[in-house]
Amino acid sequence: MKDYFPVSLVKTAELDPSRNYLAGFHPHGVLAAGIFVNLCTEATGFSKLFPGIRPHLMMLNLWFRFPFFRDYLMTGGLVTSDKECAAHILNRKGGGNLLGIIVGGAQEALNARPGAYKLLLRNRKGFAKLALMHGVPLVPVFSFGENELFDQVENSPGSWLRWTQNQLQKVMGISLPLFHGRGIFQYSFGLLPYRRPIATVVGKPIEVQKTPQPSQEEVDKLHQHYIDELCNLFEAHKLKYNVPEDQHLEFC
């Protein structure tokens, strides 16, 4: 899977193995393929780039309701998206744990299409509050190429299709993007993702002062700092991955 796209993991700063970290991943894409390969497998050499760090990736609770499949997910370091689960990992003594959250979640998948850089982040502040409560550094992570893997039927906000998708998500808990990629023997239509490179760039940790009961002002301040660092990370690396110079991140 790593060689199909291919997928690569880029390190820009050291992670101290004596500490625990909370990492925000962007964007979700349709299938979060790059994030899965980099965090849940050793295909890109995570343990060599970040020795002493054990990664975990949060996933919708729905997928953990199925016996055997749940156990398969857990072997890759996937964990439920509960506050209790996050607290357990972030408070482990001795450090060496990284908890990954795809901040935009399943709803952001509805915006995933080639050339799209709109992130569902403006009002998503729970991860910043979590970092403050447990006093762990926040790590911004951006996967260049994640949105290039599939085309998606036009579903702009306000359209009947987006309304239907939003209603289904409220009922089912998962989003249903109408996407297509390539086939096995032809390249014009199918459910296989396009073979386009994904580069997941891990940014510099943002230091966070432990605040067991943070105020809304403290959460907002850290959230804005995180957005600024994520934008800096994107701007510093976008030209390497064929993103137009005049393209910038958008937030909704």
Side-chain angles (χ1 to χ4, degrees):
M1 186 174 178
K2 173 242 179 186
D3 292 333
Y4 175 83
F5 295 104
V7 180
S8 60
L9 182 63
V10 181
K11 173 182 177 179
T12 65
E14 296 290 341
L15 297 184
D16 184 352
S18 67
R19 307 180 70 186
N20 295 321
Y21 295 89
L22 180 61
F25 285 81
H26 315 269
H28 183 287
V30 171
L31 296 179
I35 299 166
F36 173 80
V37 171
N38 283 308
L39 244 65
C40 302
T41 79
E42 271 296 315
T44 55
F46 184 94
S47 64
K48 293 181 179 178
L49 281 176
F50 302 102
I53 301 292
R54 183 183 180 188
H56 305 271
L57 180 62
M58 278 192 155
M59 193 177 187
L60 284 174
N61 294 7
L62 167 70
W63 303 113
F64 291 87
R65 296 175 184 172
F66 305 100
F68 304 112
F69 182 61
R70 168 184 60 220
D71 300 278
Y72 165 70
L73 294 175
M74 292 171 68
T75 61
L78 288 154
V79 296
T80 58
S81 51
D82 294 318
K83 291 182 180 179
E84 295 81 4
C85 183
H88 174 70
I89 293 172
L90 297 176
N91 288 321
R92 279 181 178 167
K93 294 181 180 180
N97 295 283
L98 181 141
L99 178 62
I101 299 178
I102 306 177
V103 181
Q107 189 176 353
E108 193 175 73
L110 300 176
N111 295 329
R113 52 176 45 86
Y117 295 94
K118 181 178 286 188
L119 304 181
L120 196 60
L121 180 59
R122 184 178 296 163
N123 296 315
R124 301 241 167 163
K125 302 179 181 181
F127 71 103
K129 184 176 181 179
L130 201 60
L132 283 164
M133 290 171 61
H134 299 287
V136 295
L138 265 179
V139 184
V141 183
F142 193 89
S143 282
F144 290 90
E146 188 70 58
N147 281 344
E148 308 297 316
L149 307 186
F150 293 98
D151 289 310
Q152 188 171 168
V153 175
E154 181 59 40
N155 62 341
S156 56
S159 65
W160 68 268
L161 178 56
R162 178 59 73 93
W163 181 87
T164 303
Q165 289 172 322
N166 288 338
Q167 297 307 309
L168 287 173
Q169 185 184 353
K170 290 178 182 178
V171 175
M172 302 172 63
I174 57 175
S175 63
L176 297 172
L178 295 181
F179 63 90
H180 67 86
R182 51 163 287 183
I184 299 176
F185 301 111
Q186 45 78 30
Y187 302 98
S188 57
F189 189 84
L191 294 180
L192 285 177
Y194 296 121
R195 296 187 70 176
R196 293 172 182 168
I198 304 171
T200 301
V201 183
V202 181
K204 181 182 178 181
I206 301 168
E207 290 298 328
V208 176
Q209 182 69 38
K210 187 173 183 178
T211 311
Q213 294 182 325
S215 64
Q216 188 59 50
E217 183 181 356
E218 290 171 318
V219 173
D220 290 344
K221 183 178 179 180
L222 178 59
H223 181 258
Q224 186 58 53
H225 187 189
Y226 178 87
I227 289 178
D228 293 341
E229 289 299 319
L230 180 63
C231 288
N232 292 338
L233 182 70
F234 178 81
E235 295 295 330
H237 296 272
K238 66 181 183 182
L239 296 182
K240 302 175 189 174
Y241 304 110
N242 301 316
V243 178
E245 189 173 0
D246 59 351
Q247 177 67 61
H248 308 288
L249 290 180
E250 301 175 53
F251 301 101
C252 61

